[in-house]
Amino acid sequence: MELPMFYDQTEEWNRALLIYDAALKEVNTKLEILNNEFKLAHQYNPIEHITSRVKTPQSIAKKIRHNNMELTVENIVKYINDVAGIRIICSFTSDIYRIADLIRKQSDVKVLKIKDYITNPKPNGYMSYHMIVTVPIFLSQEVIETKVEIQIRTIAMDFWASLEHKMYYKFEGNAPSHITRELKECADIVSFLDQKMLAINEEIRTYSDDPMDHYREIVSG
Ligand code: 0O2
């Protein structure tokens, strides 16, 4: 991926990209291992799916400009926390906190910042759990602690965020007020739905896995 804004720093940027890409691979592998282990122990996948991306040059440049900074590789690495981003989608809100905890406990992961937009949703209704972490990247001559932004959310929260993101870019932040209002209503529905689904799942889990138990229950009235 090219960042056409500073040709004189191409080499530096390509090196940064290599490191961000390595960091995404590291975190993806960690998550896959945790998910597999959890599945083996509990016959259940806390992670529905994972996506990862390196932020586009346009989006990086926009964020740098928004913060009134000069577009240099040094500034990007220092101030842009989400150049490497991973999104983890779960079925239930309880899985979000479980996964965040497992990530936090890994000895080579350092947590720099947490933003819990689930406990404290944004005024527009945005919900998600954000962690800015660093992971060590072992190169031939040095070890580089590299920042990765991890967003953890439910399927329903992700559905909402995708539409809101589309609306935001379509209207460049000046969306018609009725659409903004309706999206906020949808965010409240998403929150209600997530709570309901979690409660139903918890109840299902109280039932035994042995089909004979259900039979005995029916027979005994
Ligand atoms: P894009 O296009 O998704 O990359 P910080 O990282 O803490 O220094 P920042 O970046 O303001 O500062 O942090 P924040 O609020 O945690 O937002 C980071 C990312 O979360 C955003 O990246 C979005 O991906 C997502 N996000 C935050 N708020 C909203 C929201 O209201 N709606 C939606 N749909 N997504 C949101 P970018 O760079 O803004 O965008």
Side-chain angles (χ1 to χ4, degrees), residues 121-127 156-171 174-191:
K122 287 179 72 167
N124 62 359
Y126 178 74
M127 284 173 289
M157 289 171 193
D158 192 48
F159 185 30
W160 184 94
S162 302
L163 186 59
E164 197 275 342
H165 193 263
K166 196 164 140 190
M167 178 204 75
Y168 189 83
Y169 278 95
K170 178 99 183 170
F171 298 106
N174 296 307
S177 59
H178 72 280
I179 298 184
T180 310
R181 197 174 53 246
E182 281 178 41
L183 265 172
K184 174 68 180 73
E185 281 169 24
C186 288
D188 295 338
I189 296 168
V190 162
S191 175

Side-chain angles (χ1 to χ4, degrees), residues 142-153:
E142 57 185 327
V143 180
I144 303 191
E145 295 291 337
T146 309
K147 275 187 275 187
V148 176
E149 187 205 53
I150 305 175
Q151 298 183 350
I152 320 175
R153 50 173 81 147

Side-chain angles (χ1 to χ4, degrees), residues 53 55 59 63 81-82 87 113 115 117 122 124 126 130 132 149 151 161 164-165 169:
R53 63 98 182 97
K55 205 173 178 68
S59 188
K63 214 162 188 174
N81 290 328
D82 63 342
R87 192 167 286 156
K113 201 196 270 186
K115 283 189 185 170
Y117 293 125
K122 287 179 72 167
N124 62 359
Y126 178 74
H130 292 192
I132 309 289
E149 187 205 53
Q151 298 183 350
E164 197 275 342
H165 193 263
Y169 278 95

